[in-house]
């Protein structure tokens, strides 16, 4: 159980284009999903919290107009990197919290999407 | 002071030994604590979660929590080369948001 998928796993795009990344919880419902970014040899940095049916909450310093998040259902959240530039190249990882939650509020991570902007 | 601090390592232990990973956190309102394992180029994988003071054991892994000292640790018994990875300590304060430490690189050598 608690499987989260991401698509695509790897994408290479030209500067100025937009890229959409999908995050799905496969065997549970997730009212909340989280989007992280990880640069080489660094830890995960939370970008935004995605709530089903409402606007995402962005962390300080993250441009909401550049990183568009949509959480249209209890099993799907999407992150669109608009007008991507080389500095946006990174490993983007989503996580989902089981609606059942439990005591620990555990998050389960997708496999990640490696974005390279040329 | 960082919210979650870990020794970045690398920590090197021989196969079969106990690996001890440590983490401190600054915010006393933190509610639950997690250890994730991350292999190079992969996303984090949850290996332990702990909520109450004391020890929690799962197979070769034991998590220890001391809220008074704001300290959480992970012990890996009978370490294997396959345990070589970066171990991330994460703390949940509220609304399910996790704050991660910078990670400790563990190397288990044969």
């Amino acid at each position: 159980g608690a499987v989260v998928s991401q698509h695509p796993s790897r994408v290479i795009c030209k500067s100025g284009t937009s890229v959409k990344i999908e995050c799905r919880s496969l065997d549970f419902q997730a009212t909340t999903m989280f989007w992280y970014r990880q640069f080489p040899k660094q830890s995960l940095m939370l970008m935004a919290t995605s709530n089903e049916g409402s606007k995402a909450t962005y962390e300080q310093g993250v441009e909401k107009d550049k990183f568009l998040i949509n959480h249209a259902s209890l099993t799907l959240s999407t992150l669109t990197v608009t007008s991507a530039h080389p500095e946006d190249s990174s490993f983007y990882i989503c996580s989902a919290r089981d609606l059942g939650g439990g005591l620990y509020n555990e998050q389960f991570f997708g496999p990640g999407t490696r974005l390279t902007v040329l | 002071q960082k919210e979650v601090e870990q020794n970045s390592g690398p920590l090197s232990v021989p196969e079969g030994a106990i690996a001890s990973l440590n983490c401190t956190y600054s915010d006393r309102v933190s509610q639950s604590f997690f250890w994730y394992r991350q292999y190079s180029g992969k996303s984090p994988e949850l290996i332990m979660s702990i909520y109450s003071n004391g020890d929690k054991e799962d197979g070769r892994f034991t998590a220890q929590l001391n809220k008074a000292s704001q300290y959480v640790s992970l012990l890996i018994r009978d370490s294997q080369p396959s345990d070589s990875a970066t171990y991330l300590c994460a703390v949940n304060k509220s609304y399910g948001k996790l704050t991660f430490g910078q990670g400790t690189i563990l190397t288990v050598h044969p």
Side-chain angles (χ1 to χ4, degrees):
Chain A
V3 178
V4 178
S5 71
Q6 261 183 265
H7 178 79
S9 59
R10 185 180 296 268
V11 59
I12 300 172
C13 69
K14 293 182 179 180
S15 185
T17 60
S18 294
V19 174
K20 179 185 282 189
I21 303 170
E22 291 187 351
C23 177
R24 293 181 185 272
S25 55
L26 297 185
D27 53 359
F28 66 99
Q29 294 182 321
T31 53
T32 305
M33 292 183 173
F34 302 88
W35 288 95
Y36 296 84
R37 182 167 52 181
Q38 187 177 35
F39 292 107
K41 299 192 184 301
Q42 295 186 23
S43 192
L44 280 76
M45 294 300 296
L46 179 65
M47 298 175 66
T49 302
S50 170
N51 297 297
E52 186 266 337
S54 65
K55 290 183 179 180
T57 304
Y58 291 82
E59 295 299 302
Q60 191 173 8
V62 177
E63 300 174 58
K64 62 180 180 181
D65 294 330
K66 180 171 183 62
F67 298 100
L68 301 179
I69 292 173
N70 183 277
H71 194 153
S73 76
L74 286 173
T75 59
L76 174 64
S77 175
T78 61
L79 168 68
T80 301
V81 183
T82 62
S83 187
H85 292 283
E87 58 266 29
D88 298 322
S89 299
S90 188
F91 192 39
Y92 291 85
I93 313 171
C94 72
S95 71
R97 191 158 57 115
D98 194 335
L99 184 63
L103 190 61
Y104 297 109
N105 285 312
E106 292 148 327
Q107 290 183 28
F108 300 94
F109 284 84
T113 297
R114 191 162 303 281
L115 171 64
T116 303
V117 184
L118 303 177
Chain B
Q1 182 186 9
K2 293 182 180 177
E3 289 191 63
V4 181
E5 293 210 50
Q6 294 179 253
N7 187 328
S8 60
L11 172 66
S12 182
V13 300
E15 184 174 357
I18 296 175
S20 177
L21 304 162
N22 305 313
C23 174
T24 57
Y25 59 96
S26 61
D27 196 332
R28 288 191 174 273
V29 303
S30 300
Q31 299 173 339
S32 46
F33 308 85
F34 307 89
W35 284 99
Y36 287 86
R37 177 174 62 196
Q38 186 175 26
Y39 293 112
S40 181
K42 302 296 185 182
S43 68
E45 173 192 8
L46 178 66
I47 54 173
M48 287 290 287
S49 53
I50 188 165
Y51 180 79
S52 303
N53 278 326
D55 295 359
K56 180 184 177 183
E57 185 175 319
D58 183 2
R60 296 187 296 114
F61 300 99
T62 298
Q64 300 174 316
L65 175 61
N66 184 325
K67 289 187 177 181
S69 301
Q70 295 174 243
Y71 174 91
V72 58
S73 67
L74 179 70
L75 299 177
I76 306 175
R77 289 180 298 281
D78 188 25
S79 296
Q80 302 297 308
S82 59
D83 294 325
S84 298
T86 298
Y87 288 80
L88 299 167
C89 172
V91 174
N92 171 32
K93 289 195 298 184
S94 61
Y95 305 109
K97 292 170 63 172
L98 295 181
T99 301
F100 284 86
Q102 69 270 35
T104 298
I105 299 171
L106 172 66
T107 301
V108 181
H109 53 87

